[in-house]
Amino acid sequence: MRTKLILFCMIICLFSCKNNNEQDIDSETNQTESIDRDNENPESPDYAPIDQMETTPDPDTTDSSEKTDETSSKSLSGTYIRNDHPEDWNCSCFCIEVTMTGTSELCLSKDKLYINGRFEQNGNNIDIYYSGKSSKTGDSDLPWDKFEKNTPIAVLSPSANGFDLDWKGFTINGEIAIDYALYGKKTLEGTYKRK
């Protein structure tokens, strides 16, 4: 008797599981049919297959400030010559090459001292950072490895015809290195126009 009872319970369980599976299959079929019906109706406002949908950027969500910064950075890049030294047309010392994607060589003392500078836009201004001594620089007593590389050595500010360069100087341990403050001031500070 016990065996019959166990067998009977198993059969009931089997039928109930099968019944549940059939109901799940029926509900999935109904959902698929309703989706297919929606796709067959092109007048339906929701009708638009995903692969045929055009994706156009929403002008309200496009970050225009990124585009503006990129455009202005490109338009600022170029060679500028100091206004009071137009004779230096071959740019031996009184020019700056503004580049936002790498370093540029800057002249501190004609035929003697050159450094590499990195340009970084800061609002309307461009900060210039020391990146290391240039290969054109011979032996000198300057402590090149002590100069900080994360503090601006100069600032370019827009002017009517180009830029005004304000020389700040090298810094060591957060303070301006007074002994070396004049390097770059005589050759770099001034007003520049695009060459």
Side-chain angles (χ1 to χ4, degrees), residues 119-187:
F119 297 83
E120 191 174 295
Q121 192 157 4
N122 183 5
N124 289 334
N125 297 329
I126 298 173
D127 292 337
I128 304 173
Y129 296 87
Y130 168 69
S131 288
K133 93 176 174 175
S134 169
S135 59
K136 283 187 181 179
T137 298
D139 292 333
S140 68
D141 296 332
L142 279 90
W144 297 110
D145 53 342
K146 291 185 180 178
F147 294 147
E148 294 177 4
K149 295 183 177 182
N150 294 324
T151 304
I153 57 172
V155 176
L156 286 170
S157 305
S159 67
N161 295 328
F163 288 108
D164 289 327
L165 189 143
D166 180 28
W167 179 258
K168 303 291 184 191
F170 297 106
T171 56
I172 299 175
N173 296 326
E175 296 182 15
I176 292 185
I178 297 171
D179 295 341
Y180 312 105
L182 291 179
Y183 290 111
K185 190 163 189 78
K186 290 181 182 178
T187 55

Side-chain angles (χ1 to χ4, degrees), residues 5-6 24 27 31 37 44 57 61 67 90-91 101 108 115 119 126 128 132 168 170 173 175 182 189:
L5 184 61
I6 292 174
D24 290 343
S27 67
Q31 287 176 351
R37 269 188 248 121
S44 169
T61 60
K67 290 179 183 178
N90 63 352
C91 290
T101 58
L108 300 182
I115 62 167
F119 297 83
I126 298 173
I128 304 173
K168 303 291 184 191
F170 297 106
N173 296 326
E175 296 182 15
L182 291 179
E189 193 165 78

Side-chain angles (χ1 to χ4, degrees), residues 62-72:
T62 304
D63 190 0
S64 61
S65 64
E66 285 181 19
K67 290 179 183 178
T68 304
D69 289 346
E70 187 177 310
T71 304
S72 64

Side-chain angles (χ1 to χ4, degrees), residues 18 22 43-45 51 56-57 77 82 86 94 97 102-103 115 125 143 145 149 156 177 179 181-182 190-192:
K18 185 178 178 186
E22 285 178 7
E43 282 105 34
S44 169
D51 59 339
T56 56
S77 296
R82 231 170 85 177
F94 298 101
E97 179 73 31
T103 60
I115 62 167
N125 297 329
D145 53 342
K149 295 183 177 182
L156 286 170
D179 295 341
L182 291 179
T191 303
Y192 289 81

